[in-house]
Amino acid sequence: MIAALGLLLPPAVRAQSVVWGAVAGTVVSVGGQPVPRALVTLSTGSNGTSQEATTDLSGRFRFALLAPGTYQLRVEALGYRPTVGRGLALAGGESSSVTVRLSVAAPPVVVVDTVELAAGGSARWRPGGAHFSQADLAAIPDRFEDLASALSLESTSDRSQGALGLPGSMTVVVADGIPSYRAPHPLALSELLGDALFPRAVLAAATAYGGAPDVEWASAGGYAALATRTGGEPGGLELDGAWAGGPLWSSGVLDFDAPGLTSFRGGARTAIGIGPGSSLFLGTEAFQEEAPLAARIDSTLASSLSGLDPDLVTSLTSPSIERVARYSALARGDVQTGESTRFFVRGAIAYTRRDFDGPGPVGLARDVALPEESVDFSLAGGLISEYQPGTDVELRAGVSRSSRTFDPAAMGMPPVSLAGSGADLGVVAAGAGSSSRTDFFLMPSVHRVLAVGQLKAGVTLRATMHSLASQVPSQLIFSDGPALVADRGFARSLSTPEVSFKTQEIGAFARYDLEATPGVRISVGGRFDWERIPRSEVDQNQAWFQASGIPNDSFPAALKQAGLVGSLTWDPARDGTTVLTTVMSLQHGDLDPRTLGQLLSQDVGATSTRYAGTGLTWPGGAIPGTATTQPTLTLLGTDTRAPRSVHTSVGASQRVAPGWSVRVEGMFRRTDFLTRRRNLNIAPTAQALDPDGRDVFGTLQQDGSLVTATGTDARRFSAFQEVWALDPDGWSEYRGVTVGLDHAGATWTLFASYTLSETTDNWIGASRASPEAQLPPLLPSSAGEWSEGTSDFDVRHRAAAATSLTYGPATFSASYRFRSGLPFTPGYRMGVDANGDGAFGNDVAFVDAAVVDPLLAAWPCLSDQGGGFAARNSCRGPSEHAVDVRVAVSLGRLGGRNASLVLDGLNLVEGKDGVVDHALLLVDPTGTLATSPGSVTIPLIVNPDFGRVLYPSTRGRQLRIGFRIG
């Protein structure tokens, strides 16, 4: 009688880490006696590699340092019939327990017992995120968002890898157990090109974790755990390529056809066997995509610019072409040197470039799309060895380098905007700059199997070198076209030197996992981190200290934080049919290097210029030499801290029928110590009030649709311009519920997910790359605690669905993504400083019910705000839909390998998102600024185009044809 192969596989976040998994077990005879010296082979169906182990005298074996994937287990012993178990699905962080029973068989053995292993509940869902296998990744059409695009198919994720209501920059990418940090934009928090080093073609799995459920990887936001491919069929070769061009491009939203645009992608991957259980994987990929972008202005506005260079005006009225190119390569070797020792070495490099033909994009608040060039590389390795029975020693190490350059000046379009129409004619001022970082990692740890449960403990060591430069060119603001032609308007500029500095971090952690009772698994852990920041490299600003008595170099030289994590998983039937999970954690992050970069570059030597009047030239961008230039300063306080998050999630999954499962999960996250910016150099008392009770700090001056303040009367210390204090008093809270449905069948798969969430914070302007997105000072008490409310990153509704159907030689795949509109605050146009504090991005509009009455039918968000200042982020832009489809048709065999033709339709339902006109009120250019002692009145009119998309951000539709071999 053939014995059964038993498997315990509850999908819990538990043993080991969320990056690596493990398979352990015992080989026994039908009578239950241990079988020593049995040969156990574990091979990966998805990656093609294998490794071997021999059972000890108790019949036990163990495989560790396993990437997520689908495995096959084969057990052989002299005198027994071999047994093969297939379909062993392992996610990151899982430690599977296997019991193999061998039937006695007299030689010669001619029959092999084969058992299909049930995967339990949905293999796609894991607590804290979604797990995507290699096949899933290949089935989803990609654009230049790449990995983030794939992860956003789980509705708890977004396309910038945001961590549940936090910016994408707070998501750490952990590849093969080693973190990979990308050099940040000097100011912007959300970026689309954040994962160029690891294109999907070289990935075996990717999992997005929003709540940092593992104590080994402390993160105040979240992280994406990646496993790079470890092979394929030994000696096999995979080739794929795709091309789009000619009349295949179109954009209904832009009313634009571009027959000249071309795009391509191609890749090659191969695996080479280098011995038993060892292999070498090589992969390379090239990618280029061209896409249309909306024209900066229409013909009506162009007529007001007569007098400028005609070629320049023509360029502004024509769509731009965005070009993104990426070239990358990866090599990975996996070697088994003995029965209990295995190591890997992985190297990756990527070059990415984004440029534009034409004036380029508007500075989008959440999607930084600037001319960019970057080079990234990573060299990493890991070793795990059995020191003694039940004790494994693991060592991971790596070095990575990321270098990025943002150069809007390369397009010859310095920043300029028109206050009257809201048009942006140049690129965003805060976009210029460069950054780089080099990281060295060393992470030793010990795994110990105890009498009850298992223990993992270790340390993490990191040394980082940073370099940041934020060269902000002169930004010009004009009332309208004629004022621009007449060189009359407002200008500002900031000059800061490039800075280089170092940070170090040492962390220690321990985690204990056990199965308290059958089907109940518990995990608890803690960690402590010490982070050194470069206080000694800050020069004291003597002029500021003498004027204010506040030192600019008084802040901690090191940050110390503790973290905790715990999880409980209950699998009542112990077969994965029903699984209940809860995870709780207290995690922290690092101090943002952008904060340190601003601190070091603006201690001494940084200057700020503000000017209003005539003599401003564009596109030359010159400011008259008579403009006043004064020092600007940034400082930290003695309470400086790194962000810290408390995260809780409760989830349940249920297999409702063969191949079908559902799940529901509720999440809560609270993050504290987020950095907020405030200007210490604002005058302590206001000079006047406007009719709505708003404090006005400086003398206002009007020029058409412009209202600015350039005098010294708004400053506390007239010898300085802005003095920024970066305070860790920001907080953010996320609450969300996600429901999902998953079906996996032989010919049809389906995945759907919906998330309802709410994110609130007091993190003013967090989504905008602008130093002036700060808390408005001294709003009337009737406005309440205005800073607290809907977050810039709040997206109430998110949905994602993907399906794949195979019929004969053809496979049809489709994906759909939806999110509700992004929030914005009714305010004023760039160029209107309603309170005279010197900042344009922080003035909120007063909602006069009589004035805004024509807008109420179209904008219900205004209906309950009459008679007060608009609530923060109380209105929303248009919702976003995305549909991608793929048809793959098998063409038979070519050169001994499968060949297929692939047709992709990308962005078939174009979104209508873009830069929204958030100005509720406009300055009446025909009116006159009225001033009297203690009061000031700005002539205002309602904006009939309030909420209109000024600049669509769609990249157009694309039809792509591809060919694949292997």
Side-chain angles (χ1 to χ4, degrees), residues 6-246:
L7 173 66
L8 300 177
L9 241 184
V13 178
R14 54 178 194 278
Q16 314 310 316
S17 72
V18 299
V19 178
W20 301 113
V23 173
T26 305
V27 179
V28 298
S29 65
V30 173
Q33 298 299 314
V35 179
R37 310 305 299 172
L39 178 64
V40 184
T41 304
L42 186 73
S43 60
T44 55
S46 57
N47 299 329
T49 59
S50 64
Q51 52 185 296
E52 297 177 349
T54 303
T55 59
D56 60 17
L57 295 178
S58 300
R60 296 180 300 182
F61 66 90
R62 186 171 184 271
F63 298 98
L65 205 65
L66 299 178
T70 303
Y71 290 84
Q72 175 178 285
L73 196 68
R74 180 183 177 97
V75 182
E76 303 173 77
L78 186 64
Y80 295 89
R81 194 155 60 198
T83 297
V84 174
R86 296 191 177 122
L88 175 55
L90 189 69
E94 288 188 335
S95 181
S96 299
S97 176
V98 178
T99 299
V100 182
R101 298 184 184 275
L102 298 181
S103 298
V104 176
V109 178
V110 295
V111 177
V112 177
D113 295 338
T114 302
V115 179
E116 294 293 332
L117 302 176
S122 168
R124 213 182 268 266
W125 174 58
R126 295 295 179 265
H131 173 72
F132 294 88
S133 70
Q134 176 187 331
D136 294 325
L137 290 170
I140 303 302
D142 65 284
R143 303 192 76 174
F144 46 75
E145 294 95 340
D146 199 56
L147 174 64
S149 175
L151 293 179
S152 65
L153 280 176
E154 163 61 41
S155 62
T156 56
S157 303
D158 63 38
R159 63 178 178 173
S160 68
Q161 297 183 23
L164 301 182
L166 292 174
S169 61
M170 294 187 72
T171 299
V172 178
V173 175
V174 179
D176 297 319
I178 299 171
S180 174
Y181 294 90
R182 187 159 166 84
H185 183 280
L187 291 175
L189 296 178
S190 297
E191 303 175 66
L192 288 181
L193 293 180
D195 58 346
L197 187 60
F198 300 102
R200 282 182 283 166
V202 300
L203 296 180
T207 310
Y209 291 91
D214 193 283
V215 72
E216 184 174 1
W217 298 112
S219 172
Y223 55 88
L226 313 181
T228 56
R229 292 180 63 177
T230 57
E233 291 298 326
L237 177 67
E238 297 181 14
L239 299 172
D240 65 80
W243 177 87

Side-chain angles (χ1 to χ4, degrees), residues 818-839:
F818 165 82
R819 65 161 172 78
S820 56
L822 298 174
F824 66 91
T825 304
Y828 300 91
R829 291 263 172 84
M830 178 66 67
V832 179
D833 183 6
N835 65 354
D837 67 343

Side-chain angles (χ1 to χ4, degrees), residues 782 846-849 865-869:
S782 60
F846 185 85
V847 183
D848 186 324
Q865 301 191 63
F869 287 93

